[in-house]
């Protein structure tokens, strides 16, 4: 997740939209997150029930198999809102 944050730092939604290399890098990391979410046990997911585990896995499927289906604005929103929320939630688990 820190990789995604590093990739988008200094970008605006507009510059992100026009930077295919950065979009591809974010997509790759989202695929990794989705694959990890898909492999988690139900017990592990139950520790953070507010997170949309199925959505993460579903996004991975879309990004990996339906090329071009995710708009740059959706990817930007995920990178700027959902990824930091996920990182924060996971950091709380690590503290416990």
């Amino acid at each position: 997740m820190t990789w995604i944050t590093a990739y988008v730092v200094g970008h605006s939604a507009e510059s992100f939209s026009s930077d295919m290399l950065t979009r591809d890098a974010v997509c790759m990391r989202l695929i990794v997150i989705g694959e990890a979410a898909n492999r988690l046990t139900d017990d592990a997911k139950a520790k953070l029930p507010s997170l949309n585990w199925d959505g993460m896995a579903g996004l991975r499927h879309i990004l990996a198999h339906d090329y071009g289906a995710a708009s740059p604005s959706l990817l930007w929103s995920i990178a700027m809102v959902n990824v930091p929320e996920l990182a924060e939630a996971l950091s709380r688990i690590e503290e416990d």
Side-chain angles (χ1 to χ4, degrees), residues 24-38:
D24 284 352
V26 167
C27 283
M28 183 61 206
R29 293 298 171 171
L30 292 173
I31 288 170
V32 170
I33 290 169
E35 186 64 28
N38 194 44

Side-chain angles (χ1 to χ4, degrees), residues 22-87:
T22 300
R23 284 195 330 269
D24 284 352
V26 167
C27 283
M28 183 61 206
R29 293 298 171 171
L30 292 173
I31 288 170
V32 170
I33 290 169
E35 186 64 28
N38 194 44
R39 292 175 184 234
L40 283 176
T41 65
D42 289 339
D43 288 341
K45 291 176 186 178
K47 291 180 180 180
L48 291 169
S50 64
L51 293 178
N52 186 353
W53 299 109
D54 291 337
M56 289 180 228
L59 177 64
R60 179 244 172 251
H61 182 74
I62 290 168
L63 294 175
H65 300 290
D66 195 7
Y67 310 105
S71 70
S73 62
L74 174 63
L75 295 172
W76 176 255
S77 177
I78 292 168
M80 298 305 292
V81 176
N82 302 104
V83 169
E85 288 174 351
L86 175 60

